[in-house]
Amino acid sequence: MNASTSPQAIAIRVQLFILSRDRKDYCRQAIVSALAQDYSNLEVVISDNSVGEDVAQMVTQEFPEVGLVRRIPSLPALEHFNRLIEEAQAPLMVLFHDDDVLEPSYISQMVEYHAQHPYAAAVGCNAYFMRHSKKTSSKLMGDFAGRRILKSKSEFVEPYLSLSLIDPAPFPGYMYRTDIIRGLRLDSTKGGKHADVSFLCEVLDRAPIVWTDECLFNYRLHGANDSQRESIGQRLSWLRYIQSAAGLSRTSQPVRDYKFMYWRRWLNQNSPGLPPFRRATDSANFRIAVARRFVVFWGLRLALTRIDFWKRTIRQLLRK
């Protein structure tokens, strides 16, 4: 138990759900980190949404003390999260990914933050990047420092959109107050795979969210990360929702910054090899050409006017 944990916090029951899908070896590491927590009033539940039986067999054989819920048939990814929100019974809950790894004091520290902020719907913490199985000292939230109480959607979404060196708290690290988020759902029509941010915006409609700079888990980067693959349609769907929810105009600086960043990532992933000013002769190349012109022109403007553009570029290069 962490020495700073208050008696009030110790009494609170927590359910830690590990959402798993056919990643037996990663899931094993997540379970080991969950069982190593320095907090006793904790229930660990594996929600196995796998196609195969490897994860279920591993949990049954190696971790008989851990709860296991087998999802047959498998649920769509967002519906998997929604089902756990419906099923949660403890006052505090965590929806953790099977490819990430907790620090031993994650639960005790997050419970303490909830005790200090009893009005908050959720607390999000920082994390270290982990490349495959190698831990690093790089932090997901960049230059974010201290603790922030978020009450408005515009304040909440700004780090997702802008070129600042402060990044948002990663979604797997949130601990929620169950009674406040009950009834909320991750909705694919509000950004597809990016609907986790839309969901958190709706959490804010009910109560504040707290961010802390303390790194309490390790966020794994690997080839199968869904976040590594760009979907322009889902990005635009998400951006339309965020603009409306946060009251942002299409020409606002955060929105333009965000468009520059996602089109640049999309071009990098598609490796078009098409010069930015070459006339395109088909629809696919037309999109590439238009995107490249936007990235070139807006990138030059940012390079000439924004020091944060250079700082963020240098930080990204150092992370590679």
Side-chain angles (χ1 to χ4, degrees), residues 3 86 88 120 171 214 228:
E86 295 170 359
F171 186 65
E214 189 166 2
Q228 303 301 306

Side-chain angles (χ1 to χ4, degrees), residues 6-256:
S6 66
Q8 176 189 5
I10 294 172
I12 299 176
R13 177 169 166 250
V14 180
Q15 284 180 305
L16 170 64
F17 296 100
I18 299 177
L19 291 82
S20 184
R21 186 176 176 90
D22 293 306
R23 295 191 287 208
K24 179 182 69 173
D25 293 334
Y26 285 162
C27 187
R28 179 185 291 111
Q29 294 178 45
I31 295 172
V32 169
S33 72
L35 295 178
Q37 293 299 296
D38 60 5
Y39 187 86
S40 59
N41 199 1
L42 172 66
E43 178 186 358
V44 180
V45 179
I46 311 304
S47 183
D48 182 17
N49 200 36
S50 302
V51 175
E53 296 301 322
D54 287 353
V55 170
Q57 292 174 2
M58 179 271 293
V59 174
T60 301
Q61 294 171 6
E62 300 179 26
F63 305 101
E65 71 275 34
V66 170
L68 173 65
V69 179
R70 184 75 175 93
R71 307 292 178 181
I72 300 176
S74 299
L75 300 169
L78 297 185
E79 185 57 35
H80 192 191
F81 284 95
N82 294 334
R83 187 68 59 85
L84 290 172
I85 294 172
E86 295 170 359
E87 294 174 354
Q89 298 297 322
L92 296 173
M93 63 177 296
V94 180
L95 302 171
F96 198 64
H97 294 174
D98 65 349
D99 53 346
D100 299 328
V101 176
L102 296 162
E103 291 292 321
S105 64
Y106 169 85
I107 297 292
S108 61
Q109 289 297 99
M110 294 291 276
V111 168
E112 179 65 20
Y113 292 139
H114 269 284
Q116 294 171 7
H117 303 278
Y119 51 81
V123 177
C125 67
N126 206 346
Y128 293 112
F129 280 109
M130 183 166 62
R131 299 188 179 278
H132 297 284
S133 293
K134 183 180 180 181
K135 295 183 179 181
T136 75
S137 59
S138 296
K139 300 178 180 181
L140 264 76
M141 296 179 73
D143 288 354
F144 178 83
R147 202 180 303 180
R148 182 180 298 179
I149 301 170
L150 301 161
K151 298 180 179 180
S152 72
K153 291 178 183 177
S154 58
E155 180 186 18
F156 173 75
V157 302
E158 196 274 339
Y160 288 95
L161 300 173
S162 75
L163 286 167
S164 77
L165 295 182
I166 293 177
D167 290 317
F171 186 65
Y174 277 88
M175 179 180 283
Y176 303 94
R177 202 172 294 278
T178 306
D179 60 345
I180 295 181
I181 70 165
R182 182 82 70 194
L184 293 179
R185 298 177 58 82
L186 282 84
D187 186 347
S188 62
T189 67
K190 299 174 180 177
K193 66 181 181 180
H194 311 293
D196 52 352
V197 185
S198 308
F199 167 78
L200 290 169
C201 282
E202 295 181 349
V203 171
L204 266 176
D205 284 334
R206 298 188 173 186
I209 289 174
V210 176
W211 282 352
T212 174
D213 65 353
E214 189 166 2
C215 291
L216 295 175
F217 76 104
N218 299 274
Y219 182 93
R220 193 191 305 265
L221 294 175
H222 54 86
N225 281 114
D226 187 54
S227 59
Q228 303 301 306
R229 297 187 295 274
E230 282 295 329
S231 168
I232 292 300
Q234 293 184 32
R235 286 282 183 192
L236 292 175
S237 169
W238 179 82
L239 187 56
R240 284 191 294 270
Y241 171 81
I242 292 301
Q243 286 177 215
S244 175
L248 298 171
S249 71
R250 295 176 59 187
T251 57
S252 65
Q253 180 178 299
V255 171
R256 285 185 170 179

